[in-house]
Amino acid sequence: MAISKKELFSLWNRSKKVYRRLMQALRLAILLVAFCLIIAAPAVAAPDVKFSLPAELSDSDNAVSPEDKIKLTRRIKDLLSGIDAVSAAVYQTKHLAMLKKAIESEGTVIIRKTPRGLRWEAVRPERTVTIIDEKTITIYKPVEKEADIYDIEANIAAKQSMAFFSSTMWGDISELEKKFSTEIYLKNGLIIYRLIPISEMVLRYLTSIVIYFNDSTGIPAGFELTTPKGDKYMTSLRDVKKNPPFDIDTFYLKLPKEVWVRDHTKPDEKNR
């Protein structure tokens, strides 16, 4: 049976819409990779209070009403309205289902709102400097004397990292609510958001993300990410500073001459 041009065009449009929805779901699933990108570092350490979350939700905790949810979301955004940059010490604990011991890493992070920029320095177990700006992501390993530069548009994990941190750091929860169903809890002086992916495909990779906001400052105090496999990534932010002073070169990395640089934004050029 012959198909008319009009029917073919309609079928093509429907296929494009399905493809776009599929790609959006996949990009959201890569949030898991994004978290690992920002704070991953393989090391096993002894338990430390710095690596624990400020609070944890239990089955007995009750979410606030829809009316209070609106008020609390507005409160967070108002508290963060005058902040253009945030710095913090970062401690992450990864509980992987396949490992008996937790994996821990630590460092510092500074994130700027305008123009967007993020600098993450891992100090344990291996020093690594990662800088993400509007166009590129640079990963520098001083011990190996190597650095890689990527186009952020071509690196979905880095792009999603910036989008997620920008949304949470500046209280733009409305962007997250487009892709997650949200519940809000009040506990231990915290406004706690539990985000559950709407997409069935994303739920294959990501069970939930929990964000802990400080009730008095509005600034995130920690994140928790869980997967269907039972893996759990807990990130705690300590010594948080609002609008900290920073050098003009904070979001620019001047690499020593002896560093081997692989610039993946210019594949046709020789790297040094």
Side-chain angles (χ1 to χ4, degrees):
M1 184 178 180
I3 301 176
S4 67
K5 290 183 179 180
K6 184 177 181 180
E7 288 173 324
L8 280 172
F9 183 72
S10 177
L11 181 62
W12 171 246
N13 276 337
R14 287 199 299 271
S15 299
K16 285 198 299 183
K17 289 179 181 178
V18 170
Y19 175 76
R20 281 198 295 268
R21 286 197 294 268
L22 177 63
M23 292 307 296
Q24 287 172 355
L26 287 173
R27 289 190 185 100
L28 184 54
I30 292 174
L31 271 173
L32 173 60
V33 181
F35 265 76
C36 296
L37 169 76
I38 295 298
I39 43 189
V44 178
D48 192 314
V49 68
K50 294 180 295 186
F51 290 86
S52 62
L53 289 169
E56 289 193 56
L57 292 176
S58 65
D59 293 336
S60 60
D61 293 322
N62 295 316
V64 302
S65 66
E67 294 78 13
D68 287 338
K69 181 178 176 181
I70 294 172
K71 291 178 182 177
L72 290 170
T73 298
R74 187 180 298 122
R75 170 176 170 76
I76 291 173
K77 195 160 188 176
D78 289 344
L79 286 169
L80 295 173
S81 62
I83 301 175
D84 189 61
V86 172
S87 66
V90 183
Y91 303 90
Q92 190 204 34
T93 304
K94 292 185 287 185
H95 297 275
L96 304 180
M98 65 178 67
L99 298 177
K100 292 183 179 179
K101 294 184 178 180
I103 299 172
E104 295 181 350
S105 60
E106 64 179 290
T108 58
V109 67
I110 180 168
I111 182 169
R112 179 179 62 188
K113 185 176 183 179
T114 308
R116 288 200 306 177
L118 183 147
R119 182 186 183 102
W120 156 250
E121 288 197 45
V123 296
R124 184 168 72 90
E126 178 184 1
R127 185 163 181 261
T128 305
V129 182
T130 301
I131 292 182
I132 306 176
D133 58 26
E134 296 279 5
K135 296 181 179 180
T136 61
I137 170 173
T138 302
I139 302 173
Y140 170 43
K141 297 181 179 180
V143 176
E144 288 88 348
K145 297 181 180 179
E146 295 180 352
D148 290 276
I149 303 172
Y150 302 93
D151 184 339
I152 195 169
E153 291 296 328
N155 192 309
I156 298 175
K159 191 174 181 180
Q160 291 289 342
S161 294
M162 283 299 294
F164 179 81
F165 276 98
S166 294
S167 294
T168 54
M169 285 297 184
W170 319 126
D172 195 4
I173 305 301
S174 60
E175 284 300 310
L176 296 175
E177 289 180 324
K178 295 176 182 178
K179 300 175 182 178
F180 296 91
S181 62
T182 62
E183 298 172 340
I184 300 181
Y185 301 80
L186 290 174
K187 188 173 184 178
N188 295 359
L190 298 164
I191 300 173
I192 305 174
Y193 274 76
R194 192 206 300 269
L195 309 176
I196 300 173
I198 296 172
S199 166
E200 291 292 333
M201 177 174 289
V202 176
L203 282 169
R204 298 178 189 175
Y205 306 93
L206 181 64
T207 302
S208 67
I209 296 175
V210 180
I211 309 172
Y212 300 84
F213 290 93
N214 187 301
D215 186 29
S216 60
T217 65
I219 295 175
F223 308 91
E224 181 182 32
L225 182 150
T226 57
T227 75
K229 293 181 179 180
D231 298 336
K232 182 180 288 188
Y233 299 78
M234 299 188 300
T235 304
S236 178
L237 304 181
R238 305 295 172 93
D239 302 320
V240 179
K241 295 180 176 61
K242 298 183 292 183
N243 294 325
F246 54 85
D247 297 332
I248 193 171
D249 292 335
T250 296
F251 301 101
Y252 170 76
L253 198 57
K254 186 176 181 180
L255 298 167
K257 291 182 179 179
E258 66 271 16
V259 173
W260 178 261
V261 181
R262 292 178 289 267
D263 191 343
H264 304 278
T265 67
K266 303 172 181 177
D268 296 330
E269 294 187 15
K270 291 183 178 180
N271 295 312
R272 64 172 174 87

